[in-house]
Amino acid sequence: MRIVPRKIVVRPVPTAAPDCADCRSTSLSAHLNALMDPISRGSRDAFVTLFDHTRGAVRAGIDSRLREPQAAAAIFAATYVEVWWLAGCHTGHDEDVLTWIDRIAERRSAEAGPHPNPPAPSGEPASADVADPQHLRAALELSSLLGRSVDPLTRIDLGRC
């Protein structure tokens, strides 16, 4: 089965500031909690803000559990897609949003097992182009939600706001 991606609109990636106005006026935890309700109602802007504030910590946690970069990229993308779909389940929780996201990533990492995706055969790059279909779907969905291209989302640690 061959997956053909639909046209993805890519917006320029804004440079991440070391902090944002909301982070300066409240705690990061309170800021992230405040984003969950708009995300649960479909706000992509709130989702992008949540992603930009948490991606570094989430990717570091995934990388510490999975040594294979392609597997870590797959779990990273799938974790944020799950956050998008389940944001309404977190609304009103007392649990820290970053802890909740990390629990999703931890569960997905455990489900993936020690080597969910074999390394690419020698001579072939390990990128989204040679990923398994499930990884590709998650990466494309995350790319679409964020309005950003797939490769930077899956290959590198994008840092933290």
Side-chain angles (χ1 to χ4, degrees):
M1 179 172 120
R2 184 166 184 240
I3 297 176
V4 178
R6 295 180 184 173
K7 182 178 179 183
I8 298 174
V9 177
V10 178
R11 289 181 250 154
V13 178
T15 56
D19 61 354
C20 65
D22 290 326
C23 290
R24 286 190 300 270
S25 64
T26 63
S27 72
L28 176 61
S29 180
H31 179 46
L32 297 179
N33 273 327
L35 292 170
M36 295 309 289
D37 185 50
I39 293 169
S40 72
R41 290 183 278 119
S43 171
R44 289 186 181 191
D45 290 337
F47 181 73
V48 169
T49 301
L50 176 79
F51 178 82
D52 286 340
H53 279 66
T54 60
R55 63 188 174 198
V58 171
R59 185 62 193 251
I62 292 169
D63 287 345
S64 72
R65 288 186 282 274
L66 298 172
R67 299 289 179 222
E68 209 282 310
Q70 191 173 1
I75 297 302
F76 179 73
T79 295
Y80 277 99
V81 169
E82 188 169 336
V83 166
W84 168 258
W85 288 108
L86 296 181
C89 297
H90 187 275
T91 303
H93 274 219
D94 291 332
E95 182 179 33
D96 177 67
V97 173
L98 190 54
T99 301
W100 179 69
I101 295 171
D102 191 54
R103 283 187 27 238
I104 292 170
E106 187 175 348
R107 177 185 47 78
R108 286 186 163 277
S109 297
E111 288 172 355
H115 300 289
N117 298 320
S122 61
E124 291 185 36
S127 72
D129 296 333
V130 295
D132 64 87
Q134 185 175 356
H135 171 205
L136 185 56
R137 281 191 298 271
L140 289 172
E141 187 168 1
L142 180 59
S143 175
S144 177
L145 287 169
L146 297 171
R148 299 178 185 172
S149 65
V150 173
D151 282 344
L153 298 176
T154 58
R155 286 188 176 176
I156 60 173
D157 178 4
L158 297 173
R160 181 167 182 246
C161 175

